[in-house]
Amino acid sequence: AVVSTQSTGGGSDEVKIIEQLDGHTEIAEYLFSENGLVAKQKGELIERTNIIEKLGEKTIQTFINFCLGYMAKIHLPVKRGTFIEFRNGMINVCPVGRSCTQAERDEFDLYDREHKIREKFIAAIDAEYPNLGMKYSIGGQISFDCFPIGWDKTYCLKYVEKSFDEIVFFGDKTHPGGNDHEIFSDKRVTGKTVTCPENTRELVKEELARLGL
C-alpha cells in the first residue's frame, strides 16, 4: 500500500507557521518550526534544540550587537520595530522591523530587490566574523535567518528520512542563498520549486496522482 504523509516546516516559529496555515495544523502529521529545531509529530513534541547551548551567550551578544550597529547606519524607505527576533534555534534579523504592515513589507521587498540590502548585510557579517560558524539564509520578504552551520531546513530530515521511501519538498526560495536551497538540493529529497499557493496546490495534486492517491 502507498501511504502519503504531509509535513509542514519553515524557519518561522510555531505560532507564525500555524498562522500561515490558517490554524489547520491537522493537515500535516509533522510540524517542523525553526527549520526543525522544534519538531512535533501529531502535536507531540519530539525535540527542541537551543542556539544558546550551541554558541554561548558571549558569541550571541557579539553577533546581535554587530547587527544592531549595522542597522543603525542604513537608511530605508521605512523602519519600524522588532529588528532582532531571538528563536530557539536561530536569530532572525529584519532591517525594516517585523512590526511593519503588509504594505511596508511589499515596499521593502521591492527596495531590497533593487538595492540588495539583505545580501550586503550578510556580506558585512561574514567580513567581520568569518569564523563564527554561522550560516545566513534569506527568506520571505523582509528578513534573513542566522543559525549554526548545519541547522538549515535539512535538519528536519533526520526525523523522517528512515520512515519513508521518498521525500518530496515544495519550496519557493530554492535558489542558492534562499532558505529552501539546502533541503531542495539535498540528495535525500526530490525538490519542487513553487511560485505561489495555487501553484503549490497543483504540484501537490500531481505528486499525489503519481502515487495513485
Side-chain angles (χ1 to χ4, degrees):
V2 176
V3 178
S4 173
T5 298
Q6 295 186 45
S7 303
T8 299
S12 298
D13 60 24
E14 184 177 350
V15 172
K16 182 62 177 178
I17 290 177
I18 291 174
E19 179 186 318
Q20 292 170 333
L21 293 172
D22 199 23
H24 294 292
T25 56
E26 74 282 355
I27 68 173
E29 178 175 340
Y30 293 91
L31 178 62
F32 300 122
S33 52
E34 303 184 38
N35 290 349
L37 297 166
V38 180
K40 288 187 174 182
Q41 182 180 14
K42 296 180 179 179
E44 297 295 323
L45 183 67
I46 304 172
E47 184 180 17
R48 185 187 301 271
T49 308
N50 195 295
I51 193 172
I52 298 176
E53 297 170 2
K54 177 71 174 180
L55 298 179
E57 183 64 32
K58 182 178 180 180
T59 297
I60 288 173
Q61 283 204 37
T62 298
F63 177 80
I64 290 175
N65 288 344
F66 176 82
C67 290
L68 291 173
Y70 184 92
M71 285 186 283
K73 298 173 184 176
I74 58 175
H75 293 273
L76 304 172
V78 298
K79 280 188 181 180
R80 294 301 178 249
T82 313
F83 302 101
I84 300 285
E85 185 173 86
F86 189 86
R87 302 172 183 171
N88 282 291
M90 68 177 67
I91 298 169
N92 180 265
V93 179
C94 182
V96 67
R98 298 194 64 86
S99 64
C100 61
T101 65
Q102 186 58 55
E104 290 163 346
R105 279 175 171 257
D106 296 340
E107 184 179 19
F108 176 81
D109 187 24
L110 292 173
Y111 188 83
D112 184 51
R113 292 183 191 186
E114 179 181 354
H115 298 281
K116 310 296 183 186
I117 298 299
R118 290 181 288 179
E119 285 186 24
K120 292 176 182 176
F121 199 154
I122 291 170
I125 297 171
D126 266 336
E128 185 73 16
Y129 302 108
N131 301 311
L132 197 58
M134 295 275 279
K135 188 171 181 63
Y136 313 101
S137 184
I138 294 173
Q141 293 181 293
I142 59 173
S143 64
F144 61 92
D145 296 328
C146 315
F147 45 84
I149 292 171
W151 285 21
D152 51 61
K153 289 182 180 177
T154 60
Y155 191 90
C156 67
L157 293 176
K158 72 176 189 174
Y159 301 111
V160 295
E161 62 178 322
K162 295 181 180 179
S163 301
F164 301 97
D165 295 326
E166 183 179 6
I167 300 171
V168 182
F169 172 80
F170 302 86
D172 60 340
K173 304 290 187 185
T174 57
H175 55 278
N179 66 351
D180 294 324
H181 178 70
E182 287 82 7
I183 190 169
F184 173 81
S185 57
D186 192 283
K187 64 182 181 181
R188 295 168 289 179
V189 168
T190 299
K192 302 284 184 177
T193 301
V194 299
T195 57
C196 62
E198 292 74 22
N199 178 238
T200 305
R201 188 178 299 112
E202 289 304 313
L203 290 180
V204 170
K205 286 181 179 178
E206 288 178 10
E207 284 298 312
L208 291 176
R210 180 177 66 84
L211 294 170
L213 297 172

